[in-house]
Amino acid sequence: MSELETVAELAKRRGFFFQTAESYGGVGGFFTYGPQGSALKRNVEDRWRDRFVTRAGNMEVSAPDVMPEPVFEASGHLDGFDDMIVECPECDASHRADHLVEDNSEYEDAEALGIERVADLLGELDIACPDCCTPLAGESVEEFNLMFGTDIGPGSSQPGYLRPETAQGIFTEFPRLKEYARGQLPFGVAQIGDAYRNEIAPRRGLIRVRAFTQAELEQFIDPAEDEPDIESVADVELPLYSATAQEGDGKQETYTVREAVEEGVIESEWIAYYLGLARDWYDAIGIDMDRFRYRQHKAGERAHYAADCWDAETELDGEWVEVTGFAYRSDYDLTNHAEATGDTFTVFKQYDEPKTVERPSVDPDMATLGPEFGGQAGAVADALDALAAAGPDAFDGETVAVEVDGESVEVDADVANFEVETVTEAGEHITPHVVEPSFGIGRLFYSVLVHSYETDEVDGEERTYLSLPAELAPTFACVVPLVSNEPAIVEQAERAREQLREAGLAVAYDESGAIGRRYRRQDEIGTPVCVTVDHETIEKEPTSVTVRDRDTTAQARIPVEELQECLLALRAGTDFADLLERDTVTPL
RNA sequence: GUGCCGUUGGUCCAGUGGUAGGACAUUAGCUUCCCAAGCUAAUAGCCCGGGUUCAAUUCCCGGACGGCACACCA
């Protein structure tokens, strides 16, 4: 079995994740997180929240999964998600029709031409199937929209879609969110939630699915002056696989964040900052740093609005899998939502010193324009207003010419009431730029599982365990009575279990089977410690139990009254070896 | 979407035109034991629909799901 198969088998057997609705034959691309997986996933999310929300001083929101159609018209997903597919009549291969047109012509964005034009171009440009060279002229071009559609309310009058990324739920609420930030840039808004894509071909377990959890941070900045706290991550070492390297010798290189910025390997300081911050976070949640890299998008791979884009990738079964995208989205989204809604997606930026500027303006005499132009009067006034800003010289003559609905219209200059006002401007409205780290929680979850999967040998028997970080483990401790037919031992074990649960620890209890078997069960789901109540516990004073370390299987005897505190320390990151240094703790 | 291969207890597999067997796991008991021990017993399965047949888990067709390749992955 491959590494992924082995872990998927364990995941199914031990309740990490499994395919949804298998009783009904299963459904492609959907997975359910079981008892252990649900806890592990939640812990990954909590760690993310701790690092990228709480400790970063960012806000968090939770938007609905369904949004009305116009939101996705503005965001570009309605068009952008419509893949144009053409099928070869000879070999049945599917190809992106727009890509074929782009490859065979000067068009750079064939998708914008529309489906019929693209279909025509297949003929006009004599495009043939790249696989078997059969001409594709006359073949129909089909659309595949990767968004899940639905209807909001009864009937189909208000179409909606399941969000293909959580980000739009943040952008759409920007006018309100900036109020909560008191209009001050920079600020960050995060969201952890599910996103949906109706993938043509779901693949490889949790890696390509149709419903998945994203943790996204939208960092809103003033591009002119906001800078990240790059010093705080300057010495973090980044394994970078740059676009240049990908096209050249194919080698990744390690740079500190400082070097990467100074040498221009990473263009945006904000991106560099987040790559640094995130690297240590990946390390902390158990991603193997020898199987991790940051890969820069190549020029053709980048979205047209992105200045620079890097992916965090983990290696699973010999293949690199994108677990996070770090994109500089500029003002693309906010500008589009502003245009679509007319709402204010800008912040007011005060100047250090108010500026005095001369502003040309008009105050058209509507009593004259009204009778003269009738219904067009308003448009004429607007045109004059626009002209005042664009070409104030036009008002120097006796009359002013403006264009309304394609016709040239003449107006007496005095009717326009042109004047140049001297006004004091305290600041300006700017559209923030957005830096977006977008984490795929499911893929990270999978990577953590695969990278923490270990086997070793204990007393001649092979052992499987998950070396999960203590704070991530779905079950933190398991309490086991050494034997189950001595009431005093069982009672003491039950007391220990309750004591630890009251401390807020996720504690399992197991009195079934031989002791070694019970340890192995816990090893396999990555439980960091097992607490064993034995004969000595009930026979000797002070009352003590043994605590077993998952990774080394080492054991130590600890007084019961210190148990709670010791385990809390272990969960907070104390090494088992450090615990052994304590006077009251006896290594076995 | 296309092609190839596959789908049998919870898991991993074997097998058959006359409805199935192993290993591991699970549960109960004995054993009272510090690393998957042993013994006894129990629970539990042929992906779905149609066809051929006296009889289909097995053969044929279709579907669903999975793996791989191609394509796709804003």
Side-chain angles (χ1 to χ4, degrees), chain A residues 536-575:
Chain A
E536 199 171 325
T537 305
I538 55 172
E539 285 164 5
K540 284 193 187 172
E541 290 289 337
T543 310
S544 64
V545 294
T546 67
V547 173
R548 170 187 179 272
D549 177 52
R550 174 197 64 202
D551 294 354
T552 60
T553 75
Q555 283 185 290
R557 185 162 287 281
I558 293 179
V560 162
E561 53 195 36
E562 289 180 34
L563 179 63
Q564 192 171 316
E565 188 260 322
C566 280
L567 292 206
L568 286 171
L570 286 173
R571 191 179 61 164
T574 301
D575 277 347

Side-chain angles (χ1 to χ4, degrees), chain A residues 358-440:
Chain A
E358 296 195 330
R359 182 190 292 151
S361 70
V362 290
D363 182 14
D365 179 10
M366 296 312 284
T368 308
L369 293 183
E372 193 171 346
F373 297 104
Q376 276 195 316
V380 172
D382 288 345
L384 287 169
D385 194 45
L387 184 61
D393 293 349
F395 294 88
D396 290 347
E398 296 271 307
T399 61
V400 185
V402 291
E403 197 160 298
V404 177
D405 290 341
E407 286 177 39
S408 189
V409 171
E410 292 234 330
V411 179
D412 282 351
D414 2 338
V415 173
N417 275 324
F418 176 81
E419 64 177 336
V420 176
E421 290 175 302
T422 302
V423 292
T424 303
E425 288 186 344
E428 63 181 325
H429 295 275
I430 62 165
T431 302
H433 280 206
V434 174
V435 181
E436 178 198 73
S438 170
F439 293 69

Side-chain angles (χ1 to χ4, degrees), chain A residues 94-374:
Chain A
S94 294
H95 302 281
R96 281 283 294 270
D98 51 328
H99 287 183
L100 291 178
V101 168
E102 285 164 16
D103 292 346
N104 289 281
S105 70
E106 294 299 308
Y107 291 109
E108 285 183 350
D109 185 14
E111 209 164 359
L113 298 171
I115 196 161
E116 286 171 21
R117 181 72 187 121
V118 167
D120 290 346
L121 282 169
L122 289 177
E124 291 172 25
L125 296 166
D126 289 327
I127 292 172
C129 173
D131 290 352
C132 68
C133 299
T134 305
L136 294 173
E139 291 303 315
S140 69
V141 176
E142 286 180 55
E143 287 196 341
F144 282 94
N145 193 299
L146 296 185
M147 283 197 293
F148 282 102
T150 186
D151 292 309
I152 300 173
S156 54
S157 59
Q158 195 181 13
Y161 295 92
L162 291 174
R163 58 185 178 186
E165 60 171 1
T166 59
Q168 297 308 324
I170 293 174
F171 296 138
T172 51
E173 311 311 333
F174 182 82
R176 217 175 264 290
L177 294 169
K178 72 152 195 241
E179 293 291 324
Y180 303 145
R182 299 197 310 279
Q184 298 298 302
L185 293 174
F187 67 92
V189 184
Q191 180 168 209
I192 300 176
D194 287 347
Y196 305 84
R197 297 176 192 184
N198 201 1
E199 295 287 350
I200 298 170
R203 269 301 159 75
R204 303 176 69 204
L206 286 185
I207 291 172
R208 222 161 101 201
V209 293
R210 292 190 166 121
F212 54 100
T213 304
Q214 288 188 314
E216 295 195 299
L217 172 64
E218 308 302 331
Q219 174 75 56
F220 297 102
I221 59 165
D222 176 353
E225 56 184 49
D226 286 337
E227 288 176 3
D229 180 13
I230 204 94
E231 273 308 305
S232 65
V233 295
D235 296 323
V236 175
E237 294 191 340
L238 307 175
L240 298 182
Y241 189 37
S242 67
T244 331
Q246 289 168 58
E247 281 150 16
D249 57 13
K251 270 198 275 187
Q252 74 181 46
E253 285 185 78
T254 302
Y255 294 81
T256 63
V257 172
R258 182 185 287 113
E259 288 164 353
V261 169
E262 283 173 1
E263 294 174 31
V265 181
I266 304 172
E267 278 180 50
S268 158
E269 286 200 6
W270 279 100
I271 297 287
Y273 169 73
Y274 279 113
L275 295 188
L277 200 64
R279 200 227 79 118
D280 285 351
W281 184 79
Y282 294 123
D283 197 9
I285 64 163
I287 298 293
D288 183 350
M289 285 297 123
D290 292 332
R291 302 173 70 183
F292 173 87
R293 71 181 184 192
Y294 284 121
R295 189 182 68 82
Q296 186 177 29
H297 280 204
K298 289 182 277 190
E301 199 176 346
R302 283 204 294 263
H304 61 276
Y305 52 81
D308 200 3
C309 190
W310 289 76
D311 284 344
E313 298 184 327
T314 59
E315 186 263 309
L316 299 179
D317 237 355
E319 285 189 50
W320 290 94
V321 173
E322 176 192 348
V323 292
T324 307
F326 296 83
Y328 193 97
R329 293 181 78 135
S330 74
D331 61 351
Y332 178 84
D333 298 279
L334 294 184
T335 300
N336 283 338
H337 287 301
E339 278 175 15
T341 62
D343 206 344
T344 306
F345 286 74
T346 56
V347 297
F348 187 70
K349 179 181 167 187
Q350 249 179 328
Y351 297 136
D352 294 337
E353 294 289 328
K355 287 181 188 171
T356 303
V357 294
E358 296 195 330
R359 182 190 292 151
S361 70
V362 290
D363 182 14
D365 179 10
M366 296 312 284
T368 308
L369 293 183
E372 193 171 346
F373 297 104

